[in-house]
Each structure stands twice: as structure tokens, then as C-alpha cells.
Amino acid sequence: MKLHYSKQDGISKEFDIGERSITIGRSPDADIILLDDKVSRVHCGIRLWDGEFYIKDLKSKNGTFVNGRRVEVAKLKASDIIKVGGYTFTFEQPAGTGTETALREISDEMDLGKGYSTLLKEIVNDSQEPAAPPPPAPAAVATPPVRPGIRKLPQRPPIRLNIKRQE
């Protein structure tokens, strides 16, 4: 994920957010340093938790806002607008290969001369997973050697006797 914002001099900045938590504030120890009197030393933090990004206001005096609403903690989603002091951030998710991207890539390949059939073969070949190796052969069960002249008799169920005691 990325945070886009403009510095006071008008230069556009981008900050990558990953597994590591980040802080935003006036302090030189903050990950994103904002030189603004309305921003606390450590104003807010953003962290990844359970696959989702969350922003938390760290007891700032002037508050942290997401989409115009003051928040203590909020789950972030792509295109959310974050306001800290006089700065506005846009929380963005980099585009993956979605339907539009895939169609554009196919169109570009066709413009370069590839045919429809060739592209379909490449897609099918790319999507096929390698075949799983065959399961191992079952281990052979060891049978005791048979000595010559000894015949193995079939097993019979045990015999039960009902004996009554006479008095």
C-alpha cells in the first residue's frame, strides 16, 4: 500500500507501507515528518493487522481524520483520504493484474503482431500448474518365509464351551 501526499513546497511524495508499523508526526523520530504546528510530535500511526491496514490517532491535539470524519482507530481501504494537520494523504493500493489490466496487456500483444490463438496458448500454459508427482508406492508387507514341508493351516475361530456346574 502507498500513501500519497504533497509537501508544503508542492512536491508530491509517496510512502510505501508494508509489514512494519509507521508513525506520522512532527518529531524527527516519525517515519513521515510533517512540519506543521497543527501536527503533534507523534500524531498517528498506521499498521498492518490481520491482513488489513489500520490508522490510530495517538492522542493528538487536533485529531486524525479519515474521509472527513475524526477517528480514534479506523480500518483503511484503497482511496481513503487521511487528513493530519494541514496535510492530506491518499491511501492507495497498487493496481494488480485485474480484468482491465489483463485486457490491455492482451490488446498490446495483439498490436505487436501476436495472434489470438497464440495468446490463448500462452495463457493456458502459464495457468497450468505442474503435475503433482505420483504418490509413493505402498511399502511391501514382509511375509515370513515358509519352510519346506510345513503347511500353513487356515485360522479358525475359537471354540466356546458352555459348561454348567451341577450342584
Side-chain angles (χ1 to χ4, degrees):
M1 299 299 277
K2 295 181 183 293
L3 277 179
H4 289 277
Y5 66 103
S6 294
K7 291 174 53 176
Q8 287 180 335
D9 58 6
I11 296 174
S12 183
K13 297 285 286 181
E14 184 177 278
F15 191 89
D16 289 324
I17 304 173
E19 301 274 329
R20 188 177 71 82
S21 298
I22 67 158
T23 56
I24 299 172
R26 243 182 24 241
S27 169
D29 295 330
D31 295 299
I32 299 176
I33 301 168
L34 303 178
L35 302 177
D36 184 339
D37 292 340
K38 294 180 182 177
V39 175
S40 298
R41 283 184 297 240
V42 184
H43 195 96
C44 62
I46 298 176
R47 70 175 283 199
L48 179 65
W49 185 70
D50 202 20
E52 304 285 346
F53 285 94
Y54 289 84
I55 188 166
K56 180 177 182 179
D57 184 82
L58 300 173
K59 300 186 188 321
S60 68
K61 183 178 177 184
N62 294 308
T64 301
F65 296 82
V66 176
N67 298 325
R69 192 173 54 100
R70 188 173 183 152
V71 298
E72 294 300 317
V73 175
K75 182 167 74 167
L76 295 173
K77 60 186 182 309
S79 75
D80 276 347
I81 305 297
I82 302 164
K83 186 109 164 106
V84 177
Y87 288 83
T88 302
F89 296 83
T90 305
F91 185 72
E92 294 183 358
Q93 182 173 10
T97 304
T99 306
E100 291 179 24
T101 305
L103 289 174
R104 186 176 58 248
E105 288 175 3
I106 289 171
S107 178
D108 292 345
E109 292 286 327
M110 291 179 89
D111 289 344
L112 295 173
K114 278 192 183 176
Y116 185 72
S117 297
T118 303
L119 288 170
L120 284 178
K121 286 178 188 174
E122 288 176 358
I123 291 169
V124 169
N125 288 338
D126 285 347
S127 66
Q128 288 180 342
E129 294 181 17
V141 177
T143 56
V146 178
R147 291 186 272 169
I150 297 180
R151 194 177 90 200
K152 188 174 179 184
L153 297 174
Q155 296 240 345
R156 292 188 180 156
I159 298 172
R160 295 184 188 248
L161 298 175
N162 289 329
I163 302 175
K164 291 186 181 180
R165 190 173 170 166
Q166 289 185 352
E167 293 180 33

